[in-house]
Amino acid sequence: MADNASPDNATDIRTAPTRTQDRPTEVTAAGIARLAGVGRAAVSNWRRRHADFPKPVGGTETSPAFALRDIEQWLRDQGKLAEVPLRERVWQQLVGHPAGAAAALRQAGAVLLLAHDRPAAWQQLRAAADDAELTGVLPAVLDAVLAARLGPGHPVRGLTREALAPSAALVRATGDLAAADGAAAAYDFLLGRHLDANPRQYTLTPPGPAALMAELAAVAGPSGTVLDPACGAGALLAAAGESTAGEGDAPATLYGQEADADLAALTALRLALGVPDAQVRVRAADTLRADAFADLSADAVLVHPPFNERNWGHDELAYDPRWEYGFPARTESELAWVQHALARLREGGTAVLLMPPAAASRRSGRRIRADLLRRGALRAVIALPAGAAPPNGVPLHLWVLRKPGTTPPAPQLLVVDTAGPATGAPAGRDKPDWQSVRTTAVEAWRAFDRDGGIEEQPGVRRSLAAIDLLDDDVDLAPARHLPPPAAAGGPAELARVRERLTATLARTTALTPRPDAAAAGPARWPLTTVGELARAGALVLRAGGAGTAPAGGAAPAVLTDHDVIGGGAPTGTLPEAPAPGPAEEPVLLQAGDVVVPVLGGGAVARVADDSTAGAALGRNLTLLRPDPAALDPWFLAGFLRGTANNRRASSYASTATRLDVRRLQLPRLPLADQRRYGQRFRDLAAFEEALRLTARLGEQLVQGLHDGLTDGSVSPD
């Protein structure tokens, strides 16, 4: 995503002071910890205990920096460096480079491209030259490779003899990494680590939206040329490159422009290595003010533009020919990007833009939206679920546009809302279900593009005549035009909801407990605690929150604390495993496990059944796995829910009440008596679930009747 920074302000390592080239590569305490595979506390302990630990060479008093070569030698002498992965050693050399991580990553990427495109030449050069000869010969070789792959005017600058002089160790280590992992995988790791280490500097397009945008653009057929005028780190072009092969024997050409010169260089290298069959043309400049591809007519344009930009060039670009649909207001930078995308398309080409939802309804943009509709340029608005891309709390939109030809289609607009299919349940998910989002969006767009219209699916998709949208607001938000699914079936559907509610009410009545068997008085059982039972082996305690999803593999759903408190199915998702390492194994539930929220959940405990078994245990949850020969799980869960029990085991030291599960008490009873209590607790759980279902059906019926009465599908009689 472009940040509209001027390329004139970008740092060029050729202008760096010579003295920086004499500085050693530095590493922080956190980097030392990663090198040795220990925590930062261990590094602090080494500094105190070992008088020969290297002294700081930079940084600050609270965050000192050390010479990487001295640290590596000390760790090697101590026998602590033997197992450090090559990737980690290369990363430490890169992040501690005296010219900065971005400059070092440019150098490493150029070397990886050389090793990828001309492996024999690289091996011969590396074997025949010492460090001084290697860094002296490399600039000319790298320039030739870069010019061949990236074309004249590419942004990978500063690979001079002087700039490469302090990088001999990095160059050789990068070559080793290319031989071990492959050049493309090595660069993916290094660039990914750099982007992750600077989250505030870059706004990235996640893989899910990027792949969806590329697929939407390819519905009309393969694209020979693809442009991203705000390419950022290149996620959209990389996604397009994976699904684009061009026509005939000609490879696809990927065009990108990015205002940040350093990021443009890193993106050019990423695309050259990641999409080797494509021609890559990336340029560093502010697109709206200095378009590098003014004569391009692309088959597809993909854009994740900067949102809410005020300094996009409103004053100096008033008479720009790109504003064919109207001059955007200062507050409508996104509509400037929409028109730029259309201006760079061939007739019939497709553009897909990731847009903030406000762009579909702001009054300042209504005239441009109206003209886009009248002329058949704007073809679809697709609402994504919240969390699809930054800012994650906002449900963003995708705009799909076609550049009108001599005979534009009848003005129609497809509106799609993927939020419902993405969640699958009213409670929602921690992350969108991208398979459902993709299926909903692509199937709707493909059918609409083929037939010029689409069968309506309430709450999900609808085809609208443009003339019906051309009112004073020209509001294109999908939610404003989709009938709610609750009233979709009219009286027949509402009758089915009523029947279910009636049956559930009858079941709830039958399950209503009768507390008429009073005991003689408060029980005086001998008590034990969960902690004592765990020490005796009667149960196993496990804390939730660990685990990562394997790359490209199936991952279990996560049972969250909200799921336990609300009695719902598992709705969470595991985070992706970091690129260099394997996935971390989560705690998986088994039938009969008892799950307890430890933070603000109140008196809650849930017994896992067959429908929950196999899910991963989420954060702020503790799992108790009882030995069935010693403990009945329903007896255990029931007594853990006692109010007085929870009060005794809770900490009120902060604003959030935290439960110490080990302090929870339960009576020492024979297994037969436990099962009597357990059956009673099981009946209470069934009654509780019936009450929840009754509430959901009642809300659905009430809202459906309101919707039906207000839209005329239900008669007041």
Side-chain angles (χ1 to χ4, degrees):
M1 175 173 167
D3 58 6
N4 291 329
S6 171
D8 295 335
N9 296 328
T11 301
D12 188 333
I13 61 174
R14 291 175 296 180
T15 64
T18 304
R19 61 178 180 274
T20 64
Q21 298 171 5
D22 300 326
R23 290 168 44 199
T25 299
E26 298 175 0
V27 62
T28 63
I32 297 172
R34 282 194 294 266
L35 276 172
V38 298
R40 291 188 62 176
V43 178
S44 299
N45 190 37
W46 292 343
R47 291 185 65 194
R48 289 193 302 269
R49 291 179 52 198
H50 296 278
D52 61 340
F53 192 88
K55 304 301 180 187
V57 297
T60 64
E61 185 175 347
T62 57
S63 181
F66 306 84
L68 178 60
R69 61 173 177 265
D70 296 341
I71 290 295
E72 286 182 332
Q73 186 59 51
W74 188 86
L75 291 173
R76 195 174 290 109
D77 293 343
Q78 297 290 326
K80 304 179 185 299
L81 196 62
E83 299 301 323
V84 178
L86 175 61
R87 281 182 165 188
E88 191 61 43
R89 295 205 301 272
V90 175
W91 168 251
Q92 292 301 334
Q93 291 183 17
L94 187 148
V95 77
H97 196 281
L105 191 52
R106 281 203 304 269
Q107 298 172 11
V111 170
L112 288 169
L113 186 60
L114 170 61
H116 180 275
D117 285 8
R118 304 179 184 179
W122 160 245
Q123 291 298 338
Q124 182 179 3
L125 177 64
R126 186 180 177 209
D130 59 23
D131 287 354
E133 293 171 334
L134 180 64
T135 56
V137 174
L138 265 181
V141 178
L142 294 179
D143 282 347
V145 172
L146 292 168
R149 289 299 308 278
L150 304 179
H154 65 78
V156 187
R157 307 295 184 186
L159 302 180
T160 63
R161 177 192 298 264
E162 293 76 17
L164 290 170
S167 305
L170 173 63
V171 167
R172 293 188 183 278
T174 301
D176 292 338
L177 189 58
D181 294 355
Y187 190 73
D188 274 348
F189 163 72
L190 296 174
L191 178 61
R193 180 72 76 86
H194 175 69
L195 297 175
D196 290 344
N198 300 276
R200 295 184 180 181
Q201 186 176 348
Y202 307 113
T203 300
L204 307 177
T205 308
L212 173 58
M213 293 170 70
E215 190 167 3
L216 290 171
V219 162
S223 301
T225 56
V226 182
L227 167 68
D228 183 351
C231 63
L236 294 177
L237 290 174
E242 292 176 2
S243 59
T244 302
E247 298 181 1
D249 295 328
T253 305
L254 305 177
Y255 294 90
Q257 189 165 345
E258 167 57 41
D260 184 315
D262 278 337
L263 188 55
L266 301 182
T267 298
L269 291 165
R270 173 190 183 178
L271 296 172
L273 284 162
V275 194
D277 294 331
Q279 296 183 41
V280 175
R281 299 293 182 264
V282 176
R283 301 295 177 261
D286 182 330
T287 294
L288 295 182
R289 291 185 173 90
D291 185 8
F293 305 108
D295 299 325
L296 181 65
S297 294
D299 297 313
V301 177
L302 305 176
V303 197
H304 178 180
F307 296 163
N308 302 318
E309 286 285 314
R310 296 298 183 96
N311 184 28
W312 58 268
H314 177 270
D315 294 337
E316 60 263 47
L317 298 174
Y319 301 102
D320 196 289
R322 288 173 292 184
W323 316 142
E324 185 178 346
Y325 299 85
F327 180 42
R330 188 185 302 275
T331 57
E332 294 286 355
S333 62
E334 296 87 3
L335 294 182
W337 286 99
V338 166
Q339 294 190 76
H340 175 83
L342 285 168
R344 295 296 161 263
L345 279 174
R346 63 166 175 80
E347 286 190 3
T350 304
V352 184
L353 288 88
L354 187 63
M355 301 283 279
S361 56
R362 281 190 297 241
R363 287 187 61 83
S364 54
R366 66 189 186 279
R367 292 186 178 179
I368 294 177
R369 293 195 299 271
D371 206 29
L372 289 168
L373 287 174
R374 286 191 196 97
R375 299 171 60 180
L378 181 57
R379 307 293 290 141
V381 177
I382 301 171
L384 300 178
N392 290 310
V394 178
L396 302 178
H397 291 173
L398 291 178
W399 285 24
V400 185
L401 302 106
R402 279 274 168 78
K403 185 162 185 176
T406 54
T407 55
Q412 291 276 330
L413 180 72
L414 170 68
V415 290
V416 182
D417 188 352
T418 64
T423 58
R429 283 183 176 269
D430 292 340
K431 291 184 179 180
D433 178 358
W434 272 105
Q435 183 58 38
S436 296
V437 171
R438 176 203 162 277
T439 300
T440 302
V442 174
E443 287 185 355
W445 169 238
R446 181 176 286 119
F448 177 82
D449 186 53
R450 180 184 64 242
D451 302 330
I454 195 170
E455 181 182 354
E456 181 178 312
Q457 185 176 345
V460 178
R461 68 190 196 186
R462 185 183 182 188
S463 176
L464 300 165
I467 194 170
D468 294 334
L469 299 167
L470 298 177
D471 54 17
D472 289 340
D473 295 323
V474 196
D475 191 334
L476 308 182
R480 305 281 170 83
H481 304 287
L482 291 169
E493 177 62 25
L494 293 176
R496 284 191 288 271
V497 174
R498 183 180 183 279
E499 289 174 3
R500 288 189 63 200
L501 176 59
T502 302
T504 306
L505 285 170
R507 183 169 181 267
T508 304
T509 302
L511 291 172
T512 303
R514 300 179 57 189
D516 52 2
R524 294 290 184 266
W525 295 303
L527 299 174
T528 185
T529 66
V530 168
E532 290 172 348
L533 290 170
R535 287 191 292 273
L539 58 82
V540 175
L541 278 172
R542 299 290 299 275
T548 54
V558 176
L559 185 72
T560 69
D561 51 349
H562 299 291
D563 301 330
V564 174
I565 295 169
T571 61
T573 54
L574 289 172
E576 294 183 1
E584 181 183 355
E585 290 294 329
V587 178
L588 299 181
L589 276 74
Q590 299 176 8
D593 288 344
V594 178
V595 182
V596 181
V598 298
L599 193 62
V604 178
R606 176 171 171 179
V607 179
D609 56 15
D610 291 336
S611 66
T612 315
L617 189 68
R619 292 186 304 162
N620 300 322
L621 293 175
T622 296
L623 177 147
L624 296 82
R625 182 166 292 159
D627 180 353
L631 281 174
D632 179 81
W634 285 100
F635 163 80
L636 174 62
F639 273 93
L640 295 187
R641 287 191 61 170
T643 301
N645 201 4
N646 274 261
R647 287 177 178 172
R648 282 190 295 266
S650 296
S651 167
Y652 297 92
S654 66
T655 55
T657 305
R658 189 170 188 87
L659 184 69
D660 185 351
V661 177
R662 290 179 174 274
R663 293 171 57 190
L664 289 169
Q665 297 178 333
L666 61 158
R668 297 180 183 271
L669 294 178
L671 192 57
D673 290 341
Q674 291 183 35
R675 288 172 177 158
R676 287 175 49 229
Y677 276 97
Q679 184 58 51
R680 185 69 165 177
F681 288 133
R682 187 193 293 261
D683 294 341
L684 285 174
F687 175 65
E688 185 177 37
E689 177 55 32
L691 288 175
R692 288 195 182 102
L693 180 57
T694 301
R696 290 196 296 268
L697 290 170
E699 291 175 359
Q700 186 177 353
L701 180 61
V702 169
Q703 189 59 54
L705 284 169
H706 275 94
D707 292 338
L709 287 166
T710 54
D711 68 13
S713 60
V714 175
S715 168
D717 300 327

